[in-house]
Each structure stands twice: as structure tokens, then as C-alpha cells.
Amino acid sequence: MLNLSKIVTRPVIAALALATVSTVAVHAEDAKPADPKLANSLNANDKTAEQDPKLLKQDAAVKVDDGKYFDAEGHPTFHVTQDGKMLDWYTYSGYRRYHAECHVCHGPDGMGSTYAPALKDSLKHLSYEEFIGILAGGKQDVNAAEQKVMPAFGDNKNVMCYSDDLYVYLKARAAGAIGRIRPSEHEDKPDTAKKAEKECMGG
């Protein structure tokens, strides 16, 4: 017998995820040139960061709303300061969530494994909308040599409630804003993050 709760829940959460994408994309209309006050301050000596100047410029924050940073397209982005020592809350949260939910398949720090690709490389070209869509609905890659399946996480609140956090962490890794580090300092958790987490998790 089919599990009715999964049949009902997955489309609802996936729809909510896509609605979030639509809402965030509206911010693109308000996008302004990068604000020098929001510039990243990175650790130039971290050889594990593999900094990509083009992506760092593309992903630069142009606005901040209660501790959440947005790029010129209105998508969530990272903010790293104090020579790479301080992360914004969402990037820090994404690091924690990634290593709780994703690293078993995708490897520590988004480096990939024999089971799944390096997300630090995938996020160099995946858009925000594509990332959220794959996270919610899964993906299947089949060729003559192998078959790789990314499960759908649309009904997993431990993943979907933190989808933006995962995105900005992996974008920071892709751009080389942070390397293979265990973050020690981070901005305080914003009130909007607390509220969104409580509502999403049903607490």
C-alpha cells in the first residue's frame, strides 16, 4: 500500500520550496550595485579555498535584510569577513546542516565521493532555482557505465527547512570564499531565521 502521507507531503513541501524561490526572485528587481560595506574579506592564505574571482564577484552581496545577504539577482548569498574568520549565520548554518545531512554521499566540505559528485563544483554552474528543484525533487543520472540517483528531499524538513543555508554554504565553497574549515565564528542568528525555522519545523 502506498504511503499517503508521503504522497501528500512531498508535493506540498516542494511547492513551498518553489514558492520561496519565486518570492526571493522578486528581490532581483531591487538589486543595486555591490555595497562596499558588504564586501567579503577572505583568507588569502587558505589554499583549500580555491578562490574564483569571477564567482566571488558574481555572488557578492548587494543587500542585507536582517542578517540574510542577497546577490544582484536577488538570491541568497554568503558573507565572509575578518579575513575568512567570520561567517554570516546562514553560511554557518549551511555548513552544519550539510555535515549532518549531505556529507555521507557528497563527501566532507562538498568535495564529492565515489557515490556522488563534488557539490563545490556543481554549484559553480547550478542556479538557485535548479538547486532547490533538485533538492526537493531528486535527480537521476544514468549512462552505460553507472547509475547515480539523488533522492528527493521534498518531505524531509531537516533538509528543506534549511535549503537556503545549504545553498549559500555550497556557493561559498564553489566560489572559494571559504575552504575546508570548521567555522569558529559567525554572526548571530537573526530573528527572522528563528521564526522561519520554528514555522517550517512546526515547533
Side-chain angles (χ1 to χ4, degrees), residues 148-169:
K148 291 187 176 180
V149 177
M150 162 81 176
F153 287 97
D155 59 354
N156 185 334
K157 290 184 179 182
N158 288 318
V159 173
M160 295 311 299
C161 291
Y162 304 93
S163 56
D164 279 6
D165 308 32
L166 289 166
Y167 176 77
V168 295
Y169 166 66

Side-chain angles (χ1 to χ4, degrees), residues 57-114:
K57 182 178 180 181
Q58 175 184 301
D59 299 332
V62 301
K63 64 183 286 188
V64 58
D65 185 5
D66 193 22
K68 190 165 190 173
Y69 296 82
F70 297 92
D71 65 18
E73 293 186 355
H75 298 140
T77 196
F78 50 85
H79 189 236
V80 182
T81 53
Q82 297 182 13
D83 296 324
K85 294 177 186 150
M86 176 74 77
L87 302 186
D88 65 277
W89 170 260
Y90 293 92
T91 303
Y92 169 72
S93 173
Y95 167 87
R96 293 175 59 206
R97 192 59 47 177
Y98 176 87
H99 287 89
E101 303 289 339
C102 312
H103 84 281
V104 172
C105 289
H106 288 281
D109 310 304
M111 297 289 289
S113 72
T114 56

Side-chain angles (χ1 to χ4, degrees), residues 48-50 52 55 98 106 108-113 116-127 131 169-176:
T48 69
E50 301 174 26
D52 183 325
L55 285 177
Y98 176 87
H106 288 281
D109 310 304
M111 297 289 289
S113 72
L119 293 180
K120 75 173 187 65
D121 296 331
S122 299
L123 267 291
K124 289 180 184 292
H125 56 82
L126 275 181
S127 71
F131 176 80
Y169 166 66
L170 291 167
K171 284 297 283 184
R173 287 288 290 127

